[in-house]
């Protein structure tokens, strides 16, 4: 029995990174599909729409420090409509298009963009 348990934990430790990689790939696809048109694939906002709306550079320390995980999550779920620095910034809500797990994964993904 000990041997079977040891084999199980060994196999899970070897599969863990593969599962995480699959989740990362799936989250990357969601980010590219739902976020990259404004935020850019690298999160820096260097896109036509991103520059038009002057979206923040998600990789910067200032952006990462300014927003809590909860604020990022709320913005993904509920979208955004505001005027900042004289520019209208709008983001459609994704709560009806993504699962709660996908939204949580996007929050982690955004955190992972930090320089």
């Amino acid at each position: 029995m000990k041997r079977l348990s040891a084999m199980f934990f060994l196999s899970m430790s070897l599969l863990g990174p593969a599962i995480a990689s699959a989740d990362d790939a799936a989250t990357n696809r969601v980010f590219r599909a739902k976020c990259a048109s404004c935020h850019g694939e690298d999160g820096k906002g260097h896109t036509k729409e991103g520059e038009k709306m002057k979206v923040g550079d998600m990789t910067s320390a200032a952006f990462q420090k300014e927003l809590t995980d909860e604020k990022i999550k709320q913005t993904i779920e509920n979208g955004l409509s505001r005027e900042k620095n004289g520019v209208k910034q709008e983001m459609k809500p994704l709560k009806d298009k993504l699962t709660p797990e996908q939204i949580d994964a996007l929050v982690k993904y955004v955190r992972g963009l930090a320089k």
Side-chain angles (χ1 to χ4, degrees), residues 39 53 75-81 89-94:
H39 294 286
M53 290 190 292
T75 303
I76 294 168
E77 288 176 335
N78 303 315
L80 180 75
S81 182
Q89 295 180 327
E90 292 186 296
M91 181 176 133
K92 293 181 181 177
L94 296 175

Side-chain angles (χ1 to χ4, degrees), residues 7-25:
M7 288 177 58
F8 172 77
F9 286 112
L10 177 62
S11 67
M12 289 310 291
S13 67
L14 294 174
L15 283 175
I19 293 168
S21 295
D23 287 347
D24 291 345

Side-chain angles (χ1 to χ4, degrees), residues 29-107:
R29 284 191 302 275
V30 171
F31 185 86
R32 286 192 330 256
K34 303 292 185 188
C35 312
S37 63
C38 294
H39 294 286
E41 290 195 22
D42 60 2
K44 293 182 183 234
H46 297 304
T47 66
K48 183 178 179 180
E49 283 301 309
E51 290 175 2
K52 178 179 161 185
M53 290 190 292
K54 297 183 181 179
V55 300
D57 177 354
M58 294 176 159
T59 68
S60 74
F63 180 94
Q64 294 286 331
K65 183 178 178 183
E66 179 182 337
L67 298 174
T68 64
D69 288 358
E70 187 58 31
K71 181 63 179 164
I72 294 169
K73 182 177 180 174
Q74 288 175 359
T75 303
I76 294 168
E77 288 176 335
N78 303 315
L80 180 75
S81 182
R82 69 180 180 193
E83 191 160 316
K84 184 175 181 181
N85 300 325
V87 176
K88 181 78 170 170
Q89 295 180 327
E90 292 186 296
M91 181 176 133
K92 293 181 181 177
L94 296 175
K95 67 181 168 197
D96 295 334
K97 298 186 185 317
L98 300 175
T99 66
E101 295 79 18
Q102 288 174 310
I103 292 171
D104 289 342
L106 279 174
V107 172

